[in-house]
Amino acid sequence: MRGASGDWSFFPAREATGAFWGEWDELNRRLWAGHPFLDRRFVEPLLDYWGTGDEQIVACRGGEGLVAAAILVRRRPGFWQTFLPAQTQMAPVLVGEYAVAREMLAAIQDPAVAIDFLCQDPRYSPFAPGEDRKEMLGVPYAVTMAVNLDGGFQEYSEGRSRKLRQNIGKYRRRAEALGGSPELRRVSAVTELREAVARYGEIESRGWKGQQGTALNENNAQGKFYAAVMELFGAGGRADVFELWIGGRLAASRLLIGNEGFRIVLKTTYDEEMSEYAPGRLLLYDMLKRLAGLPGPKRVEFYTKATREQLAWATEQRTVFHAGLYRWAALRRVAEVVRGIRRNARAVSEPKGASDGAAD
């Protein structure tokens, strides 16, 4: 299909070539300065480990090469949504303008009447909630947070609440008295990252996630996925595992990837048997202190459903949202009414916090 932005194509994601992924990365750099969640080193493993084979790529090429692309799955005839396994908090969508997203909807060969663009970060999305866009329905999903360390760690620490600082001191003294001085270790050598991910899995498997069967370990898909991502980013010097050891025992671990502008905390865990030391909080404090003194990016993104306690650490917060894009404004209005009815019904039968998709 030929559109105002260029020629659109639609093909199975499993058929994407290395040349295509090179174009994908170049477009990511042009649009969003190479966001790590949109980097091929993250997206390709997502497809390899969590794809079902039903994923489709819709892409547009214009005079400057690839100008838009997204990975989609069909929910039912006419209704599509972005590929979004649980291992990512941002859908793989490279679209810089709302008008181009409208073209994308028309280019799908279903034909499509709606696309759910899930987990849109307002910093990296053409869909702006609040703007008068008659074909779009925006649904808030989660409040995420970031920490900016540009002013140095002392400035950052002094900006936190007195209670937070006091608690960190209390936990540290408790650890020193009962377990030994906490030691922060940073693993960044690509040859050591796989072992660090395996250690992460060992302590996660001993906790509640292990009991539920959802913990990462080096032999399951979770462990293999994160080991692959960490090694791919680590080869370019953009991956770190920060570990907190207490009394010679691994107490907490965090996996990070990044680009030239910021780092993302992919996963975090702690040894639940050592919870009296609050090792996760001690690790976060010591990790941020170390990052503030290292060369490279001073911004840390968490991409989490931030709690009030977590937001006490933040210097910034923003709302991630779902954007339902409809072929006709009338269908969008119907979807909004249906969503309102469902929301009211769920208020009676479900706990607060239940949510549904935008394109229903």
Side-chain angles (χ1 to χ4, degrees), residues 29-167:
R29 284 189 288 271
R30 292 202 312 267
L31 291 179
W32 311 126
H35 194 293
F37 276 157
L38 303 175
D39 192 295
R40 68 178 294 182
R41 293 172 293 181
F42 190 82
V43 176
E44 281 195 276
L46 272 182
L47 284 166
D48 289 342
Y49 287 98
W50 309 112
T52 65
D54 294 329
E55 296 77 20
Q56 300 288 317
I57 290 176
V58 57
C60 180
R61 286 182 174 82
E64 56 182 1
L66 194 66
V67 296
I71 304 175
L72 306 176
V73 292
R74 191 173 76 160
R75 296 172 53 202
R76 60 182 185 271
F79 289 80
W80 292 74
Q81 70 180 31
T82 47
F83 174 58
L84 191 80
Q87 289 68 31
T88 185
Q89 292 76 48
M90 178 183 285
V93 176
L94 295 175
V95 179
E97 299 178 10
Y98 181 75
V100 177
R102 293 281 299 148
E103 282 188 42
M104 179 178 288
L105 178 60
I108 296 176
Q109 298 169 5
D110 192 33
V113 297
I115 305 175
D116 236 358
F117 291 93
L118 302 175
C119 288
Q120 296 294 292
D121 181 342
R123 275 179 170 261
Y124 306 97
S125 173
F127 307 104
E131 291 191 13
D132 184 18
R133 290 174 169 172
K134 59 184 180 179
E135 306 93 356
M136 191 192 90
L137 176 60
V139 180
Y141 170 68
V143 174
T144 187
M145 56 178 274
V147 169
N148 193 319
L149 300 166
D150 281 340
F153 186 75
Q154 182 174 347
E155 179 181 305
Y156 167 75
S157 179
E158 290 174 352
R160 302 310 97 211
S161 70
R162 181 180 178 185
K163 181 179 179 181
L164 187 153
R165 298 196 305 270
Q166 288 177 335
N167 283 341

Side-chain angles (χ1 to χ4, degrees), residues 1-9 20 23 27 30 59-69 100 103:
M1 169 189 157
R2 179 72 181 176
S5 302
D7 293 312
W8 288 89
S9 58
F20 171 81
E23 291 182 285
L27 179 58
R30 292 202 312 267
C60 180
R61 286 182 174 82
E64 56 182 1
L66 194 66
V67 296
V100 177
E103 282 188 42

Side-chain angles (χ1 to χ4, degrees), residues 230-249:
M230 296 297 288
E231 286 185 334
L232 287 168
F233 277 86
R238 297 297 182 187
D240 295 285
V241 180
F242 283 92
E243 300 176 333
L244 187 76
W245 293 72
I246 300 177
R249 178 175 173 178

Side-chain angles (χ1 to χ4, degrees), residues 1 18 34-35 46 56 66 80 85 91 98 140 166 200 205 215 227 255 260 270-271 274 283 303 322 339 360:
M1 169 189 157
H35 194 293
L46 272 182
Q56 300 288 317
L66 194 66
W80 292 74
Y98 181 75
Q166 288 177 335
Y200 178 105
S205 295
L255 312 182
E260 294 181 358
Y270 69 93
D271 189 334
M274 305 179 77
L283 172 57
Y303 283 104
H322 301 322
R339 183 177 180 276
D360 279 324

Side-chain angles (χ1 to χ4, degrees), residues 125-358:
S125 173
F127 307 104
E131 291 191 13
D132 184 18
R133 290 174 169 172
K134 59 184 180 179
E135 306 93 356
M136 191 192 90
L137 176 60
V139 180
Y141 170 68
V143 174
T144 187
M145 56 178 274
V147 169
N148 193 319
L149 300 166
D150 281 340
F153 186 75
Q154 182 174 347
E155 179 181 305
Y156 167 75
S157 179
E158 290 174 352
R160 302 310 97 211
S161 70
R162 181 180 178 185
K163 181 179 179 181
L164 187 153
R165 298 196 305 270
Q166 288 177 335
N167 283 341
I168 291 297
K170 178 180 68 175
Y171 300 139
R172 194 177 303 280
R173 290 189 295 272
R174 185 180 296 168
E176 290 171 348
L178 300 178
S181 297
E183 176 191 358
L184 179 71
R185 299 182 188 176
R186 178 193 178 203
V187 180
S188 56
V190 67
T191 55
E192 300 175 4
L193 288 169
R194 185 170 291 270
E195 290 184 4
V197 173
R199 287 194 297 271
Y200 178 105
E202 288 174 4
I203 57 174
E204 186 170 80
S205 295
R206 293 198 296 267
W208 64 269
K209 287 188 177 181
Q211 296 172 3
Q212 291 188 348
T214 59
L216 175 161
N217 70 64
E218 60 181 328
N219 297 316
N220 66 12
Q222 289 257 55
K224 293 175 182 178
F225 165 74
Y226 284 107
V229 168
M230 296 297 288
E231 286 185 334
L232 287 168
F233 277 86
R238 297 297 182 187
D240 295 285
V241 180
F242 283 92
E243 300 176 333
L244 187 76
W245 293 72
I246 300 177
R249 178 175 173 178
L250 180 59
S253 179
R254 289 177 184 261
L255 312 182
L256 287 76
I257 59 173
N259 62 11
E260 294 181 358
F262 59 90
R263 290 176 167 91
I264 295 174
V265 178
L266 283 182
K267 282 182 73 65
T268 181
T269 192
Y270 69 93
D271 189 334
E272 294 174 16
E273 293 180 0
M274 305 179 77
S275 59
E276 62 184 312
Y277 309 136
R281 297 174 197 174
L282 286 176
L283 172 57
L284 177 55
Y285 186 90
D286 289 353
M287 180 190 78
L288 293 175
K289 186 174 183 179
R290 175 72 66 85
L291 289 174
L294 290 175
K298 298 294 188 285
R299 181 182 182 85
V300 182
E301 292 280 0
F302 288 79
Y303 283 104
T304 185
K305 292 183 178 180
T307 64
R308 180 178 298 180
E309 181 181 63
Q310 290 170 326
L311 289 173
W313 295 82
T315 59
E316 177 191 322
Q317 64 186 67
R318 59 190 186 275
T319 299
V320 175
F321 63 98
H322 301 322
L325 187 61
Y326 297 84
R327 187 177 289 269
W328 308 287
L331 183 57
R332 179 261 187 198
R333 291 192 293 270
V334 170
E336 188 170 21
V337 171
V338 170
R339 183 177 180 276
I341 293 171
R342 290 179 177 176
R343 184 176 61 243
N344 292 336
R346 288 174 180 175
V348 176
S349 61
E350 294 185 357
K352 288 185 178 180
S355 63
D356 55 1

